[in-house]
Amino acid sequence: MTPIEAMLSILREEGVTRVFGNPGTTELPFLDALVAAPDIPYVLGVHEGAVVAMADGYARATGRPAFVSLHVAAGLANGLSGLLNASRSRTPMVVTAGQQDRRHLAQDPMLSGNLVELARSAVKATFDVQHAHDLPVMLRRAFRLAVLPPAGPVFLSVPMDLLAEETDVDVFDAPVAAPPAATGMASAAALLARARRPAIVAGDGVGREGGVDALVALAESVGAVVYHQPMHDGVDFPMGHDLYAGALPPVNAEIRRTLAPYDLVLIAGCHAFMPHHYSPGPALAPGTRVVQVDSDPTEIGRNFAVEFGLTGAIEPALRGIAERLRELRPEVGHRRVELRERHLGARAAAETAALKAYGPAPLEPVAAAHAVASGLPIDAVVVEEAITTGVLLRRFLRLERPRSLVHTVGGGLGFGIGAAIGAAMGDPDRPVVAVLGDGCAMFGLQGLWGAARYGVPVTFVVMNNGEYRTLKDTLDNWDSRATHAGQYPGLDLGPLDFGAAATFFGIEARRVAHADELVDLVAGATHRDRPLLIDVPILGHRQGEHP
């Protein structure tokens, strides 16, 4: 078969049912071939940032690598922020870009560039395809690498004239080997059974690898308090569970303080805590006893000492530890009662404070966050890119099912709109609610074109305070080093009419007048059959509650 025929054959075998892209001249041989491949529709985005974000959300919803087609150096550059997000969030993705025709590449033609070097720092691996017979080998290898721990995006540069060749190439089959099973589960269980005050940190690897139920069984067997990793990208433990204490803050000093009372910490599927703001010292105090479980061997003991480490597929390892704990039967009833009372009390206090803040727009941020959480339909998927209001939102979310939360720890803004579209395409039976900061929404606004084009019934909730509030808050708390208190150059967006923006793209919009109205609009996501943008005016810096 020809190179392009081999490419389409491999896409089908790898389970690709959509191509996410923004095309140009160097992708024309691929586009022409797709005309005869109606089983692989082309999902167009009008900016590569939106394209990669859509693919990210789709890959997470389906559990399969997404396939992305970008356009030469400029298109790849536009997509780099999304690729950085995918790398940080461990999203499997195979990304191609059409290189200029090799027959005049030496002349430095328009649109050409060193695609491999441009992509290298943003992806897991790169391939520079130069020979037709190498395309099937490298493409197959890219799909394998994309899912092997640590998962992530893999890039291929493919010259346009190579795809147009009539050369006969071979396609080989290469089934994916299952991750190896961890050993030492009995020893890990014994350490946990002897702990008097155990804690668990649930990392995003747990959710990605289907280990949530196993971790619940383990936590209940040992009576451990459970924290999400800082800035977690998904549901790695049920957020309404009695043992759940919320997410760790993304600061080493705060992580150290939070975990100090516990005599043993189990860390599962967590990428080294990834702090955001600097603080002196490590995330774990010296002498902290740690049991670590991860499918990526480079994570074991990466940033802290580990007493016992298990490398292998996360779900079987956690399930094996839980089974051995049931055999050991540690006495944990008193711990579970104590934790339940503590957590229920904290949640009730937060609910009471939020309800007191309800009122007309502009809303208190805490009231807006609570209203969204209160209105969420059962089985909703929440895509969160709201920075400061998102921190408040997580206090009230009670998401139970894996893949119910989509976020990126990568930090590249503009992710939320595209990711929500991809999530809805990947799992169309679940309502999707995207909670966005106004600054984040501005970075990814072109994604609304895709929502309108494909009629994706996403509910976009924009928290509109007209500023980069997180930077103002950070500047205020910057160890008194800020020399011009109360002055914030470059941090104000001014009045933004997101209803007008939605209308431009052909999307219905509503502007919220009261917190109760926001609850009702979000609840309507259950029966929505087209996209809706909800513009939520919230109080700005120093006018409302500080996160």
Side-chain angles (χ1 to χ4, degrees), residues 1-237:
M1 61 180 70
T2 65
I4 190 64
E5 290 171 342
M7 187 175 192
L8 293 177
S9 176
I10 290 173
L11 294 186
R12 290 186 178 99
E13 291 174 13
E14 295 291 346
V16 172
T17 55
R18 282 179 171 87
V19 173
F20 294 89
N22 181 272
T25 51
T26 55
E27 289 73 47
L28 290 180
F30 181 52
L31 291 180
D32 183 58
L34 287 176
V35 174
D39 56 320
I40 309 177
Y42 191 97
V43 178
L44 175 64
V46 293
H47 187 276
E48 292 84 357
V51 165
V52 178
M54 284 192 288
D56 194 322
Y58 184 81
R60 297 200 209 186
T62 61
R64 301 190 307 271
F67 187 75
V68 180
S69 175
L70 302 179
H71 177 48
V72 293
L76 173 59
N78 281 341
L80 284 179
S81 178
L83 295 179
L84 287 166
N85 286 339
S87 291
R88 279 281 186 164
S89 294
R90 306 292 194 252
T91 304
M93 195 180 295
V94 175
V95 182
T96 64
Q99 179 58 285
Q100 258 282 12
D101 193 308
R102 292 168 297 176
R103 291 169 294 187
H104 70 165
L105 199 55
Q107 301 173 49
D108 194 23
M110 181 181 176
L111 305 176
S112 65
N114 192 332
L115 306 187
V116 167
E117 286 303 313
L118 184 60
R120 194 181 302 279
S121 64
V123 299
K124 179 179 178 180
T126 60
F127 294 96
D128 189 3
V129 184
Q130 287 296 314
H131 304 285
H133 60 265
D134 287 336
L135 177 61
V137 176
M138 291 181 171
L139 185 58
R140 188 76 82 182
R141 194 179 300 168
F143 275 99
R144 297 297 175 264
L145 285 174
V147 298
L148 286 176
V154 178
F155 174 78
L156 300 96
S157 169
V158 185
M160 65 179 297
D161 59 302
L162 186 150
L163 286 181
E165 286 186 18
E166 295 295 327
T167 308
D168 188 42
V169 299
D170 296 323
V171 175
F172 69 96
D173 185 30
V176 178
T183 59
M185 290 175 279
S187 298
L191 287 169
L192 285 162
R194 291 195 296 269
R196 290 172 297 144
R197 296 182 308 281
I200 293 173
V201 178
D204 285 326
V206 175
R208 282 194 304 269
E209 297 190 27
V212 174
D213 289 344
L215 187 59
V216 170
L218 191 160
E220 291 177 348
S221 296
V222 76
V225 63
V226 182
Y227 296 93
H228 259 122
Q229 73 168 65
M231 301 180 290
H232 57 103
D233 281 349
V235 175
D236 308 306
F237 196 84

Side-chain angles (χ1 to χ4, degrees), residues 419-441:
I421 297 167
M425 288 181 170
D427 193 353
D429 294 330
R430 301 182 69 184
V432 176
V433 177
V435 185
L436 313 164
D438 50 3
C440 297

Side-chain angles (χ1 to χ4, degrees), residues 149 179-183 209 293-297 300 309-318:
T183 59
E209 297 190 27
V293 180
D294 211 290
S295 55
D296 179 3
I300 305 298
L310 293 82
T311 300
I314 291 174
E315 192 278 338
L318 296 176

Side-chain angles (χ1 to χ4, degrees), residues 442-467:
M442 291 292 287
F443 272 81
L445 204 60
Q446 301 96 329
L448 292 178
W449 182 92
R453 166 74 172 256
Y454 298 103
V456 183
V458 173
T459 301
F460 299 100
V461 183
V462 181
M463 299 297 179
N464 188 352
N465 57 16
E467 64 183 5

